[in-house]
Amino acid sequence: MSNRFIKVAQLKTVETFRDRLDQLGLSLPCDDSILTRDQGSPMAAPLEVEGFTIGNRWCIHPMEGWDANTDGSPTEFTIRRWENFGRSGAKLIWGGEAAAVQEDGRANPNQTLGTESNRFGLEKLYDSLVSAHKSEVGDPSDLMIGLQLTHSGRYSRPNQKQITEPRVAYHHPILDARVGIDSDDDSAIWTDAELHELIDSYVNSAKIAQQLGFHFVDVKCCHGYLLHEFLSARSRPGEFGGNFEGRTRLLLTIIRRIQQECPGLLIGVRLSVFDLIPFHAGLEVGEPVDFQDLLPYKFGFGVSEEDPLEMDLSEPIRLIKLLHESGVFSVNLSAGSPYYNPHIQRPAIFPPSDGYPPPEDPLVGVVRQIEAVRDVKQAVPEMLMVGTGYTYLQEYLPHVAQAVVRAGWVDSVGLGRMVLSLPELPQTTLEEGTMPRKKVCRTFSDCTSAPRNGIVSGCYPLDPYYKKLPEFQQLKDAKSAAAN
């Protein structure tokens, strides 16, 4: 499977990397070398946001570690990850962690909570991040930290790791069966009255974040989780479904309420800006589910109704314009979902244990996301935008990052999996102009396979801290079983 495509690690120079892009018919800005701060790297340029100066253009994405205590409080694993975010040198921390606003909205029983019961735990995470930044990077006055607020919706597993307890916006003809929902059973569908209570939960979590010193909250709206699913709730009756105004009402209401009750707290939105048809494992690679009987396809957001293998950015652009008008300071643009089309959301040559071999060279997926963000930035230039999907670029991530920022395709480049193996990437590239090859994420997907098997997430192949854990052998066994 992994030999179907040329690995990025085999591309030893910038020239061979560019040649590979050309072979794939792809075009991507890419600098010849990694520029340091002193050499005028575009990644070192500050960003001005509502009177706050963000010190550089590197951003850390929020990541769930499956490693909090069952009461939502942080363990040593959680704290270490936040310390690594602090010492990374990135000056925009987008959420750090996905914190559930209600216990029934946790994606796993060990997810962090953004509730009053976990106030001290959130404070501990915030303080550990700032302390690490002070000791290893310097002045934190230009460090902007947010907390991501979420409800996992269809993918909620609040009590047992292997048992879904979905709460959904509407019946989905493909995804219902995957989480055990009968098409005739409406018990998992939110009522409008329940949604008004959920809005209160988001506001309460935002208040806690503001009181603890977080500069902003991210109202998570991506990857098939609850608020993202509502954007495609065309078949849902009532105030939170149907037309565009109804489908965006829940998100916009949460934003408006937070603004009213948390004056001065900034609000961001991490958004899946396009979402193609669900895939499943084929005989050799991932394949789209048969959608001919579902045309026109009305069960996605940012996807063509005529051909759900193609994106349609018209509604996402319309929404982002509304978000800007509503006072949202930034959007962090992702795509798809790790649950039903992971090669779209997280390009990688090695699939997670519950995934499928990629049906395309992962570089195609990387460029797809980068170009989508470019197109949205051109349509809404006044909105500060963070880009996603860069990890598979590996050695050439900083070369591309500084080039696309210089070109105005995006304002800030976000890092996810890459900082699990190489947390110091922003600081090292800006100060030394180097990229340590031995710690570069090769997208083995162990950080995803681990939680899929109920194991704490981390970089088992490259981080010595995780290599020495007994969970490393558990993960090997789980992957071996999945392959047989």
Side-chain angles (χ1 to χ4, degrees), residues 31-43:
D31 284 358
D32 292 332
S33 61
I34 301 172
L35 299 176
T36 65
R37 187 189 313 276
D38 291 341
Q39 292 171 325
S41 170
M43 301 307 293

Side-chain angles (χ1 to χ4, degrees), residues 185-341:
D185 182 7
D186 294 344
S187 62
I189 299 178
W190 290 82
T191 66
D192 286 357
E194 289 172 330
L195 290 174
H196 284 286
E197 294 176 359
L198 177 67
I199 293 168
D200 291 338
S201 293
Y202 274 92
V203 174
N204 291 336
S205 292
K207 288 179 179 178
I208 295 167
Q210 184 176 36
Q211 291 162 4
L212 292 177
F214 287 90
H215 301 93
F216 72 97
V217 291
D218 166 32
V219 183
K220 184 177 184 178
C221 193
C222 59
H223 300 164
Y225 293 116
L226 186 66
L227 296 187
H228 179 220
E229 182 169 89
F230 265 91
L231 298 181
S232 61
R234 294 173 181 81
S235 61
R236 181 187 174 92
E239 60 180 317
F240 296 113
N243 61 17
F244 177 83
E245 288 74 18
R247 290 181 279 119
T248 58
R249 182 168 287 121
L250 181 58
L251 172 63
L252 293 172
T253 301
I254 291 169
I255 291 168
R256 184 178 67 252
R257 284 280 310 281
I258 292 174
Q259 290 171 328
Q260 291 171 348
E261 301 191 37
C262 304
L265 179 66
L266 296 177
I267 300 172
V269 174
R270 191 163 200 218
L271 175 70
S272 279
V273 73
F274 64 87
D275 181 27
L276 309 188
I277 193 82
F279 274 63
H280 64 99
L283 292 177
E284 295 185 359
V285 299
E287 299 175 349
V289 300
D290 184 0
F291 55 80
Q292 294 304 314
D293 291 341
L294 298 175
L295 296 177
Y297 187 73
K298 296 183 177 293
F299 306 99
F301 179 72
V303 57
S304 168
E305 293 186 6
E306 290 71 36
D307 181 4
L309 292 172
E310 298 293 332
M311 71 178 82
D312 179 348
L313 296 177
S314 55
E315 281 201 341
I317 288 172
R318 183 180 174 189
L319 173 58
I320 291 169
K321 288 180 177 179
L322 276 178
L323 293 176
H324 183 264
E325 293 169 4
S326 300
V328 168
F329 88 96
S330 179
V331 290
N332 183 323
L333 299 180
S334 185
S337 168
Y339 295 99
Y340 51 81
N341 49 24

Side-chain angles (χ1 to χ4, degrees), residues 396-411:
Y396 307 106
L397 191 160
H399 300 72
V400 171
Q402 61 195 36
V404 294
V405 168
R406 182 190 299 109
W409 286 23
V410 71
D411 299 295

Side-chain angles (χ1 to χ4, degrees), residues 3-73:
N3 294 322
R4 294 183 63 244
F5 306 113
I6 297 174
K7 299 181 180 70
V8 175
Q10 297 173 260
L11 307 174
K12 301 300 185 182
T13 65
V14 173
E15 289 73 22
T16 56
F17 173 70
R18 289 187 181 128
D19 288 344
R20 180 58 181 159
L21 292 174
D22 287 342
Q23 291 168 10
L24 294 168
L26 304 173
S27 178
L28 197 61
C30 179
D31 284 358
D32 292 332
S33 61
I34 301 172
L35 299 176
T36 65
R37 187 189 313 276
D38 291 341
Q39 292 171 325
S41 170
M43 301 307 293
L47 277 169
E48 300 296 328
V49 176
E50 304 285 342
F52 188 97
T53 299
I54 302 172
N56 61 42
R57 301 301 182 99
W58 288 112
C59 174
I60 306 297
H61 293 314
M63 286 173 279
E64 298 166 24
W66 285 61
D67 56 16
N69 293 306
T70 53
D71 64 357
S73 62

